[in-house]
Amino acid sequence: GVILDSYLLYGITIVLLLLSFFKDRKKTRMALKKGWKAFDNILPEFLVVILFVGVMLAVLDPQTISKLIGKNSGWVGVILAATVGSITLIPGFVAFPTAALLLQAGAGYMQIGAFISTLMMVGVVTIPVEIKYFGRKMTLLRNFMAFLFSFFVAYVIGKVAG
């Protein structure tokens, strides 16, 4: 099962780390330091999102989540999920576990498809930075097209998974 797979991956990682350490101790130490630094940079962001999702799941019971973005919420739920995904700034490595938690809590596949696709492609929060590099017209066009595309994604996921 899943636990066995986890132990297997940890075992392989430890063996490869030991091989690396015996081959070149200096490079291995440097890689571990860089890895720790990256983890240390990501951790605060990760914890905030996990806390936010935890509080949201505690406050909103599965029935409420199901009503707002569940399978029966239809395109209104898709629009709500796409809007939240467009505004929210969550890194991908946190977005997918969050989507899994929302699905377990009663969210629909179409709605989660729209949420994840807008989360990854639309950046309302990052628009000022994007305008600086790509210009106002290109930024607004790109974000608008990505927002529209999320509805196509939701439709396809609804047909495939729903």
Side-chain angles (χ1 to χ4, degrees):
V2 175
I3 294 172
L4 185 63
D5 291 345
S6 295
Y7 284 128
L8 183 66
L9 286 173
Y10 282 126
I12 290 169
T13 303
I14 289 168
V15 168
L16 291 174
L17 184 63
L18 288 171
L19 284 172
S20 174
F21 186 75
F22 289 121
K23 187 170 190 231
D24 191 338
R25 290 175 187 220
K26 190 177 179 184
K27 278 187 181 179
T28 303
R29 280 195 188 109
M30 197 167 66
L32 286 172
K33 283 180 185 175
K34 283 183 180 181
W36 180 256
K37 194 173 182 180
F39 176 74
D40 199 34
N41 287 338
I42 291 168
L43 190 63
E45 219 174 81
F46 187 68
L47 288 176
V48 167
V49 173
I50 294 298
L51 283 170
F52 172 73
V53 170
V55 168
M56 187 183 74
L57 290 175
V59 172
L60 301 175
D61 60 346
Q63 290 80 17
T64 307
I65 291 171
S66 189
K67 196 178 349 173
L68 291 172
I69 58 169
K71 191 187 298 184
N72 296 332
S73 68
W75 285 100
V76 172
V78 171
I79 291 168
L80 178 65
T83 303
V84 171
S86 297
I87 297 167
T88 312
L89 186 63
I90 302 176
F93 67 89
V94 179
F96 293 103
T98 301
L101 288 172
L102 289 170
L103 281 170
Q104 288 172 0
Y109 284 101
M110 272 178 44
Q111 292 75 4
I112 291 301
F115 174 69
I116 289 292
S117 62
T118 55
L119 201 57
M120 296 291 108
M121 296 188 303
V122 180
V124 171
V125 176
T126 57
I127 280 179
V129 175
E130 201 174 331
I131 286 174
K132 201 185 296 183
Y133 288 96
F134 300 114
R136 182 179 201 79
K137 185 179 177 186
M138 186 64 204
T139 297
L140 295 176
L141 182 64
R142 190 202 66 74
N143 278 281
F144 178 72
M145 297 295 281
F147 188 76
L148 287 182
F149 183 72
S150 74
F151 292 99
F152 174 72
V153 169
Y155 176 77
V156 170
I157 288 176
K159 287 294 180 192
V160 171

